[in-house]
Amino acid sequence: MTVRMERHLTRLVLSVLLALQAGCKEQPKPQPPPPPKVTVAQPVQQAVTDSLDLTGNTQAIYTVQLVARVVGYLEKVLFQDGQRVTKGQPLFVIQQNTYEDNLRQAEAAVLQYRAQIQWTESQLTRYSNLIQHNAAARSDVENWRFQRDTAAANLRAAEAQRDLAKLNLDYTLVTAPFDGRMDRRLVDAGNLVGSGGNNTVLAQINQIDPIYVYFNISDLDLARLLKVTRGIPSPTDGRKWPVHAGLPNEDGYPHRGYLDFAAINLTTTTGTLLMRGVLPNADGKILPGLYTRVRVPLEQRSALLVPEVAVGHDQQGDYLLVVNDKNIVERRPVTTGAAVESRRVIATGLTGGEWVVVNGVLKAAPGRPVTPERDGAPGPEARPSLPAKKAAP
């Protein structure tokens, strides 16, 4: 073996030994990931109003069918279908010439009988004076008194016919009985209406300002209401109990009214009581027959609220994830109440000093550590183990 080959073999053996020595060194263990960061906040304490959340339907205050009360051809339709009209506004014109002639004829009969009364009165006075001088027979006086009384009766009948003719003439102009919104017309101009002894329906009008909202309240909710109001409130006794309503496409309950009516007994099959509220509707936005969310406020009280996103739900019920003083997540079962904007009332399960996970809920798991960061100002029972966010340098 040559010296050159020996050197090459020596280098190869040294390389193998160095590789084996490096492989025998202990590998460093991987570091566990840091606890996930979550945002925590304490419950907010504020005054909330307990209320009954119900469902109802709207209904017009008044609904009237406009009919033809006289016979004639419909000459004019003076509104557009769906138009809002005011009280006394002309809507339909029925053939008037016949009834104008009837009125003139009745007025002429009144004038005729008035003239007849004047003539018989003068004749009665004349013969009454003559009989005092034995220049006329008593039968003549009685005859003229009969003629006068007959003329007076005929005058009263003629005046009644005149008033009836005037009333029929007024019926030829159909006007709006109140401020409201017209439905579509049911008869077009040129058709004969009111014939055959039937009142032809021309159209329908609704008064929708204000508007009714009807809803049913269960016996249990009724007991809660009566506990606060001490009797069913009514405007007749000076108590206008508030009623709030919201349409399906609206947030919250923007329409504010008052309780107007309650049925006198509960429905035995459902155990509910029919109630009614009155809502202002100046813009006509609320139409009759709409499904409506109804809220009846009861009383104010102090409550704890947390963001809606912090409330979890599972088979065991509602819960919150709370970070304890060791930064460990705990599952806290709670009883929730009403929603107040983006927050939820917590009826039971919190004392007010807990730190609730409000952001990063999916990262937090009960029994595992987290890195909490406070959201907003600390509450009255802030825990020193939860460091506040550091200010930027």
Side-chain angles (χ1 to χ4, degrees), residues 32-326:
K37 293 183 179 181
V38 296
T39 304
V40 296
Q42 288 188 316
V44 176
Q45 188 167 13
Q46 69 179 56
V48 297
T49 302
D50 287 337
S51 58
L52 304 177
D53 291 338
L54 310 163
T55 58
N57 291 90
T58 57
Q59 184 172 319
I61 293 284
Y62 299 118
T63 298
V64 173
Q65 289 185 333
L66 303 174
V67 299
R69 304 179 66 176
V70 293
V71 180
Y73 286 96
L74 185 62
E75 292 183 346
K76 296 179 182 179
V77 179
L78 304 176
F79 69 94
Q80 297 293 328
D81 293 349
Q83 178 182 341
R84 300 191 69 176
V85 296
T86 58
K87 182 178 180 179
Q89 179 176 336
L91 303 175
F92 296 95
V93 178
I94 302 174
Q95 181 181 4
Q96 295 182 324
N97 52 6
T98 301
Y99 298 97
E100 291 172 346
D101 292 339
N102 289 340
L103 178 59
R104 284 191 289 267
Q105 186 178 12
E107 290 174 342
V110 170
L111 295 177
Q112 177 184 353
Y113 288 118
R114 283 178 179 173
Q116 187 174 356
I117 287 179
Q118 292 178 356
W119 167 249
T120 54
E121 283 281 1
S122 64
Q123 290 298 101
L124 178 60
T125 302
R126 178 184 172 208
Y127 277 88
S128 297
N129 292 332
L130 290 176
I131 199 173
Q132 295 177 2
H133 300 86
N134 296 323
R138 184 171 296 275
S139 60
D140 293 334
V141 175
E142 296 296 333
N143 178 59
W144 285 112
R145 182 176 288 112
F146 171 76
Q147 294 290 341
R148 183 202 61 183
D149 294 342
T150 301
N154 290 335
L155 176 60
R156 294 184 63 182
E159 289 174 342
Q161 290 296 324
R162 177 201 60 191
D163 294 342
L164 183 59
K166 185 176 184 302
L167 187 61
N168 287 335
L169 180 59
D170 292 340
Y171 286 156
T172 61
L173 181 63
V174 181
T175 60
F178 45 72
D179 295 352
R181 186 169 181 265
M182 293 297 302
D183 199 354
R184 66 182 181 89
R185 65 184 184 277
L186 301 178
V187 181
D188 294 325
N191 287 283
L192 181 65
V193 296
S195 61
N198 298 322
N199 293 328
T200 306
V201 179
L202 303 176
Q204 182 171 287
I205 181 175
N206 287 340
Q207 180 178 346
I208 57 175
D209 182 27
I211 195 168
Y212 286 145
V213 55
Y214 283 90
F215 55 94
N216 288 284
I217 182 172
S218 68
D219 50 358
L220 297 178
D221 288 340
L222 179 62
R224 294 177 58 194
L225 177 64
L226 295 181
K227 182 179 179 181
V228 178
T229 61
R230 303 185 183 278
I232 297 179
S234 172
T236 57
D237 57 14
R239 293 190 300 166
K240 290 187 176 182
W241 198 261
V243 172
H244 307 161
L247 301 181
N249 61 336
E250 295 176 333
D251 295 329
Y253 299 82
H255 306 283
R256 307 297 177 94
Y258 60 90
L259 191 63
D260 174 65
F261 163 79
I264 58 176
N265 50 22
L266 278 75
T267 304
T268 56
T269 55
T270 60
T272 58
L273 182 71
L274 179 66
M275 305 189 81
R276 183 180 72 194
V278 178
L279 304 174
N281 190 31
D283 56 0
K285 186 177 181 179
I286 307 176
L287 298 178
L290 279 177
Y291 164 81
T292 311
R293 293 175 290 106
V294 180
R295 172 170 287 178
V296 180
L298 297 179
E299 58 182 348
Q300 276 195 344
R301 63 181 178 86
S302 180
L304 297 175
L305 292 88
V306 299
E308 187 77 47
V309 295
V311 182
H313 315 276
D314 58 17
Q315 294 181 349
Q316 299 179 9
D318 299 332
Y319 67 90
L320 296 173
L321 296 180
V322 177
V323 179
N324 62 18
D325 53 1
K326 297 180 180 179

